[in-house]
C-alpha cells in the first residue's frame, strides 16, 4: 500500500512548500513555482517517504504506550 502525497505543507528543514498540489521554492526574496517534472517527481517521492516514516514512528509510539498483553499461557 502506498502513502499518498500530502496536498500541502513544508518539507522539513527545506525551502520547499507544497501548496494546492504544486511545489514552490520559498526564500526571503520570494517564491517560485517548481515546474520541472523530474524535480517535482522527486519531491513527491520524498514527501511520500517522509509521510511513511512519520506514520511508522507514530505507530511505534502508539504500541509503546499500550499496556503489555496478558500472558495467555498463564506462567506460575
Amino acid at each position: 500500500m502506498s502513502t499518498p502525497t500530502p496536498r500541502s505543507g513544508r518539507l522539513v528543514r527545506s525551502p520547499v512548500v507544497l501548496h494546492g498540489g504544486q511545489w514552490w521554492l520559498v526564500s526571503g526574496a520570494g517564491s517560485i513555482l517548481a515546474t520541472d517534472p523530474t524535480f517535482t517527481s522527486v519531491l513527491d517521492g520524498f514527501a511520500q517517504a517522509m509521510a511513511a516514516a512519520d506514520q511508522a514512528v507514530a505507530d511505534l509510539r502508539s504500541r509503546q504506550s499500550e499496556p503489555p498483553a496478558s500472558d495467555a499461557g498463564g506462567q506460575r
Side-chain angles (χ1 to χ4, degrees), residues 4-63:
T5 301
R7 294 291 299 159
S8 64
R10 178 179 292 271
L11 286 180
V12 177
R13 290 176 285 196
S14 78
V16 182
V17 176
L18 183 62
H19 181 70
Q22 295 181 309
W23 289 105
W24 292 82
L25 303 174
V26 180
S27 75
S31 304
I32 186 167
L33 178 63
T35 58
D36 180 86
T38 302
F39 182 58
T40 57
S41 176
V42 170
L43 290 173
D44 286 340
F46 185 69
Q48 288 176 345
M50 290 294 292
D54 288 345
Q55 184 61 52
V57 169
D59 291 346
L60 285 172
R61 287 183 177 156
S62 174
R63 278 192 274 171

